[in-house]
Amino acid sequence: MLFKDKFRLHTPGPTPIPPSVQHAMNRPMIGHRSSTCSAIIQESSKRLQPIFGTKQDVLIITGSGTSALESAVSNTVQAGDEVSVVVTGAFGDRFAKLTERFGCHVHRLDIPWGERCTPEELKSHLRQHPDVKAIFMTYCETSTGVLNPIEELARVAREETDALTIVDGVSCIGAVPMEMDAWGIDIAVTGSQKALMLPAGLAFVAVSERAWQVIENNATPRFYLDLSAYRKSLGKQTTPYTPAVSLLFGLEEVLNLIEAQGMDNVIARHRLMMEMTRAGIRALGLPLVATDEAASPTVTSVYGTNDVHVEDLRQTLSAMNVTVAGGQQHLKGQIFRIGHMGYCEPGDILAVIATLEVALKTLNVPVSLGRGVQAAEEVWARV
């Protein structure tokens, strides 16, 4: 008999919460306009800067990652503007839908799901659409487990256009290299419930000086997501509207944990977990969605087979207290996705692979028990 309150959450968000972060969030409530809360907001914004790779303010919004995406659109473009959106999966498609909703003339650069956008593809696209005002990209495409080469894509964007470069980093910032200033990214956003090890409810936005000039002259109506209001309030060590104070307590502790480990070590841990997961999956004979070159350190997507029916496998894993995600849109029922970000370490990957082996055996799929675990262990042992 399994303990129902002891399970392994391995979706690509939400992700597990460290006990020390849970404890921090249980602190007694304080006034959101108090000096204590102001200190948390001001210091957290500064401490987030190295994670984004920027010297700019990191704005803190109470909302989901999608609220940050919408703020990046509503503050920078106007109805009728030409924009380009790199679509490598469901979340690139969400960026396209957002820009369409705000009346933009959207040029989609559609890349087959499971592949990353190459600099050459973006260059060709932008030369066909030289008048775009903004280029929207997804760093980690959560729906496929693909990591786009954002540094190279941002360089192409700056070489080919004067457009703003806007990056959705929701499912990877805090786990992968991000050098917003050095790479020439104008807006980068993320959410709390992924690599930053918090519950959903906070979103983070960093904005370049070039983008602020556009924002200040943009007439698109917005209120709660007006980034200028957040910038002005941060200058007063507060937020324009009531923040999620308990999540701010948790954010303080998350930043303590990241700083104690060191960002380089955080990045290395995520890369190791990706390599372990992929080695284990390959050893079990299951096809991976992304190539090694395109794979994300935060989520691994796996195809089902004639022998492996994805939803049956997910249900079996769930009964064994391991939760993984399914596919989205046309990949629903065809793939499953293993999250390995945030409060996750190599030993957790071994447990997931071991449970996956038993689940496959339970479903009468011909697998050799221990083969996947051994492959993952061999990767870990090389470190």
Side-chain angles (χ1 to χ4, degrees), residues 40-97:
I40 294 172
I41 292 167
Q42 181 187 40
E43 289 304 310
S44 294
S45 175
K46 291 184 181 299
R47 295 170 74 190
L48 284 163
Q49 288 174 335
I51 296 172
F52 279 77
T54 185
K55 294 181 179 178
Q56 299 295 326
D57 293 333
V58 179
L59 309 177
I60 302 172
I61 298 172
T62 295
S64 69
T66 303
S67 71
L69 300 182
E70 181 164 330
S71 74
V73 175
S74 64
N75 283 266
T76 58
V77 298
Q78 304 180 64
D81 281 353
E82 289 189 52
V83 302
S84 285
V85 183
V86 178
V87 181
T88 53
F91 290 90
D93 184 58
R94 180 173 295 184
F95 242 160
K97 289 174 179 175

Side-chain angles (χ1 to χ4, degrees), residues 4 36 55 69 77 115 119 127 135 145-146 164 175 191 242 255 281 339 354 378:
K4 293 304 178 184
T36 301
K55 294 181 179 178
L69 300 182
V77 298
E115 298 180 15
R127 288 183 176 179
I135 305 163
V146 163
L164 296 180
T242 307
L255 293 169
I281 294 296
E378 288 172 350

Side-chain angles (χ1 to χ4, degrees), residues 238-299:
T238 188
T239 56
Y241 313 108
T242 307
V245 176
S246 294
L247 292 180
L248 293 178
F249 292 156
L251 176 61
E252 270 194 308
E253 177 58 16
V254 164
L255 293 169
N256 290 339
L257 295 174
I258 291 174
E259 289 166 3
Q261 189 169 76
M263 198 61 210
D264 288 345
N265 292 325
V266 170
I267 291 169
R269 172 168 52 85
H270 282 85
R271 186 146 201 94
L272 171 60
M273 292 189 296
M274 173 195 75
E275 292 171 355
M276 289 175 64
T277 303
R278 293 176 68 81
I281 294 296
R282 279 203 177 95
L284 295 175
L286 298 177
L288 293 157
V289 174
T291 64
D292 288 344
E293 293 74 22
S296 170
T298 58
V299 55

